[in-house]
Amino acid sequence: MASVISLATARRQFLTNVRQDGMINGPRLIVYASTEIHVCITKALELLGFGSKSMHFISVDKNFCINTDELRQTIEDDRNNGLLPFCIVGCAGTVNSGAFDNLVELASIAHKEKMWFHIDGAFGALVILDPERCHLVQGIEQADSLAFDFHKWLHCPYDAGCVLIRDGAHLSSTFSVHQSYLAATEHGCAGDKPWFCDLGTELSRQFRALKVWFTLKEHGIKKLGKKIADNCQQAQYLVSLLSNYEDFIQIIRPVTLNVVNFRLEPNELDRSNDKLIDEFNNELLADIQISGIAIASTTRFCNRLYIRVCIVSHRCTFEDFDIFVAGLLKCYRLRLRSLQQSE
């Protein structure tokens, strides 16, 4: 929803009559983001009537960050083809790998091209609370809009998303309505200004901010930042444990934040058969989950399946990862033995 609000606000600045006329006969607006962007951006474009073809994906470098040279060239080519580049989306901690785009450079491109600059902060934006890693989000203050979640790395119960818009007037012009039954009075007690229904799509909404307020009041941002730092250190510790088995465990590097991706490639199997190795890792992950050791997930890099460990719990300890790797190796041996016996 934060992405919908952000892109709707951006659209209103480029199509000033969109609330009355819709997008009929308007220019073809184009959004740019890396291939690592979260699917919520594409869903937002579909819901807002742009269509998924309005998203132009830009490749990433070896660190999974957006290729800015390709971005500049694509924007130029699109303008020459009669399209209207209107929004750049930067990643502050991708869901796949925890990678950060160069937000300072993206802000510079957006400013030069007179485009809206949106940042998908997912959970990575909150690394600003960690003094050792806050440099990763340098440039985030230049965004026109920023979306992130409190229910990830701030440990709040679902759901609690957040959107920040630089210019409040833009937000109001996109969503405000004036109905007699929503009229504010000078001394009335019906509600404070502004009415929140003038700042988004929902007329009736729950008090999501209360649990966020309680979390901040109870723990404070220093303690929350320390827990974020702990998770990042635990990710590095997990890498160090897995590195002891690099003859058959392949780790995606660099590990910048709290996400570790790896896959097991047994010497006993045909390691050139990607489909076979993918199936092995997928079944291995199911074994891990059923065993109750941990709930990891999967993702893909270079069209290969990897086991993904995303560490966001404030309860995690280093010992948990000793247990995880020991359990992983046990499940690995059992799975491999089962395959060998079936042959």
Side-chain angles (χ1 to χ4, degrees):
M1 188 55 66
S3 299
V4 170
I5 291 172
S6 298
L7 291 174
T9 305
R11 182 184 64 177
R12 171 67 175 73
Q13 309 319 305
F14 284 77
L15 299 177
T16 56
N17 292 323
V18 68
R19 296 187 65 178
Q20 295 78 31
D21 302 335
M23 299 178 66
I24 298 174
N25 299 324
R28 181 72 181 277
L29 301 178
I30 304 298
V31 177
Y32 303 84
S34 83
T35 52
E36 291 292 298
I37 196 67
H38 194 278
V39 69
C40 66
I41 300 297
T42 302
K43 289 180 69 174
L45 292 175
E46 293 172 353
L47 286 169
L48 291 168
F50 291 93
S52 59
K53 290 183 179 179
S54 292
M55 169 69 83
H56 285 190
F57 292 102
I58 307 299
S59 67
V60 294
D61 60 21
K62 62 181 181 180
N63 296 324
F64 308 106
C65 305
I66 192 169
N67 187 325
T68 52
D69 289 335
E70 180 182 328
L71 172 62
R72 289 187 180 91
Q73 186 61 55
T74 304
I75 291 173
E76 181 181 347
D77 292 344
D78 286 347
R79 286 195 192 279
N80 293 336
N81 289 327
L83 304 177
L84 179 57
F86 96 106
C87 180
I88 296 173
V89 181
C91 292
T94 60
V95 172
N96 261 358
S97 65
F100 288 80
D101 290 335
N102 187 330
L103 303 179
V104 173
E105 189 172 6
L106 292 183
S108 176
I109 295 172
H111 179 75
K112 180 181 178 181
E113 298 288 345
K114 294 181 172 55
M115 298 170 63
W116 187 274
F117 181 37
H118 174 67
I119 295 179
D120 180 3
F123 58 89
L126 288 168
V127 81
I128 199 170
L129 301 181
D130 176 9
E132 291 186 19
R133 297 172 181 83
C134 62
H135 66 277
L136 294 171
V137 291
Q138 184 179 359
I140 199 170
E141 71 282 354
Q142 299 184 51
D144 294 301
S145 57
L146 167 65
F148 62 97
D149 292 321
F150 290 114
H151 61 231
K152 290 189 172 77
W153 235 358
L154 213 70
H155 318 302
C156 295
Y158 271 80
D159 62 335
C162 183
V163 58
L164 301 177
I165 305 292
R166 172 175 294 280
D167 190 332
H170 291 335
L171 189 62
S172 178
S173 68
T174 304
F175 295 105
S176 64
V177 293
H178 299 285
Q179 297 290 340
S180 59
Y181 49 82
L182 295 177
T185 60
E186 184 177 354
H187 302 292
C189 58
D192 293 329
K193 296 180 181 179
W195 289 65
F196 282 105
C197 60
D198 287 342
L199 304 179
T201 60
E202 296 169 293
L203 181 58
S204 302
R205 47 182 287 161
Q206 60 178 303
F207 193 3
R208 296 182 179 94
L210 182 61
K211 54 195 171 188
V212 179
W213 183 85
F214 270 121
T215 299
L216 292 171
K217 293 295 287 185
E218 170 66 18
H219 302 294
I221 60 173
K222 288 185 178 179
K223 186 174 181 180
L224 292 166
K226 178 61 169 60
K227 287 300 178 181
I228 287 172
D230 288 348
N231 288 159
C232 293
Q233 292 168 1
Q234 290 156 1
Q236 295 300 325
Y237 182 67
L238 175 57
V239 170
S240 71
L241 295 177
L242 295 174
S243 296
N244 294 322
Y245 307 95
E246 285 191 311
D247 55 324
F248 64 92
I249 297 182
Q250 182 185 8
I251 306 168
I252 291 289
R253 288 186 170 90
V255 176
T256 307
L257 209 59
N258 61 332
V259 182
V260 181
N261 295 286
F262 62 92
R263 68 192 247 129
L264 287 81
E265 299 182 345
N267 294 313
E268 295 82 353
L269 301 181
D270 181 3
R271 302 177 70 168
S272 65
N273 187 334
D274 288 336
K275 183 178 179 181
L276 177 64
I277 300 299
D278 284 355
E279 291 175 351
F280 180 84
N281 280 272
N282 201 39
E283 293 297 325
L284 177 61
L285 176 64
D287 294 340
I288 294 169
Q289 293 176 343
I290 292 171
S291 72
I293 299 168
I295 301 296
S297 61
T298 61
T299 189
R300 286 189 172 272
F301 295 96
C302 301
N303 204 31
R304 294 179 180 179
L305 184 140
Y306 285 79
I307 295 173
R308 174 181 173 273
V309 175
C310 181
I311 308 165
V312 294
S313 174
H314 56 283
R315 295 187 176 94
C316 284
T317 65
F318 288 116
E319 183 183 5
D320 291 327
F321 298 95
D322 295 326
I323 296 170
F324 171 71
V325 172
L328 170 70
L329 294 174
K330 180 180 179 180
C331 291
Y332 162 75
R333 296 186 187 104
L334 290 173
R335 171 61 50 186
L336 190 58
R337 188 182 308 153
S338 176
L339 278 176
Q340 291 171 334
Q341 289 175 351
S342 64
E343 292 176 355

